[in-house]
Amino acid sequence: MNLKLAKSHRCKSMGLNLIIVVALAPAYGHATDAGTSVGIFLDPIPSCPPATCSGVERNSFNWGKPMPGLLGSQGNLTFVGDSFSPSAGEIFKLGTLTYHNGVTISGTDVTEIRLDIPLNFDDTSKNFTYHTSLSINNTMNISNPNIGTPEANADIVSFVGDTFPYTFHVLEGATASVDLMVKLTPTENHLQLVGLANPTTGGSVSIVPIMDVGRSW
């Protein structure tokens, strides 16, 4: 949320048979492909300055300057990675995204941030980094953060691109988390975003038409 003098926005068998089964298994079908993920925020838009931010190149990113005299606070995005051992084509949790809807002065906020997610597997030859970017809709309010309902003043986080229609909404002043669900594609070194799941209190998930998600990054 952005304030403009208030807010201006994853038996046994014959040896031959076993060899055939292994040979036909997809690249990510074994427990030895267990791994972990981490998150790194980079390249805020606008850059800082003129925006106010901290946490670049870390997994927790803050932005915006709180309004003096009000119970405001910076906005925050944090990505906490997870451990996983997906079977071929299995949907799994890549990590958890947490958002704090702060009250900040117009012109000090960030509206987009790049998120790199390195995936580290037991088989290090399969390590890769997933690159994405998040759009932050700092909802505008008029004159006072107490005007309007928390729902109307909710901030919206979405993945920049044209193939992932899920958006994460966080109520005015709330801190909420959501799980990022993905699957590994049949070819190595690539992820497919599947959905956002398990939003906590203060957050909700919506699906919008693909054409409205945003531009490709």
Side-chain angles (χ1 to χ4, degrees), residues 117-189:
I117 306 177
L119 281 77
N120 300 299
F121 293 89
D122 290 348
D123 179 353
T124 58
S125 68
K126 294 175 180 176
N127 291 352
F128 68 96
T129 298
Y130 181 74
H131 304 282
T132 188
S133 199
L134 299 175
S135 172
I136 305 169
N137 184 346
N138 300 276
T139 305
M140 295 186 292
N141 301 105
I142 304 301
S143 128
N144 191 302
N146 297 316
I147 293 179
T149 65
E151 291 80 7
N153 293 340
D155 284 2
I156 304 172
V157 180
S158 57
F159 284 75
V160 176
D162 57 1
T163 59
F164 190 69
Y166 294 84
T167 59
F168 183 41
H169 299 237
V170 179
L171 299 180
E172 170 73 17
T175 301
S177 300
V178 70
D179 295 335
L180 178 57
M181 309 304 293
V182 302
K183 64 181 179 180
L184 292 160
T185 61
T187 55
E188 297 185 12
N189 301 343

Side-chain angles (χ1 to χ4, degrees), residues 1-9 67 70 103-104 106 138-149 152-153 172:
M1 180 182 85
N2 189 23
L3 189 64
K4 180 180 183 181
L5 244 183
K7 289 172 96 176
S8 21
H9 285 12
M67 189 69 175
L70 294 177
V103 181
T104 58
S106 178
N138 300 276
T139 305
M140 295 186 292
N141 301 105
I142 304 301
S143 128
N144 191 302
N146 297 316
I147 293 179
T149 65
N153 293 340
E172 170 73 17

Side-chain angles (χ1 to χ4, degrees), residues 99-115:
Y99 184 91
H100 173 67
N101 184 342
V103 181
T104 58
I105 299 173
S106 178
T108 68
D109 58 300
V110 167
T111 59
E112 190 173 314
I113 185 74
R114 174 177 155 191
L115 175 59

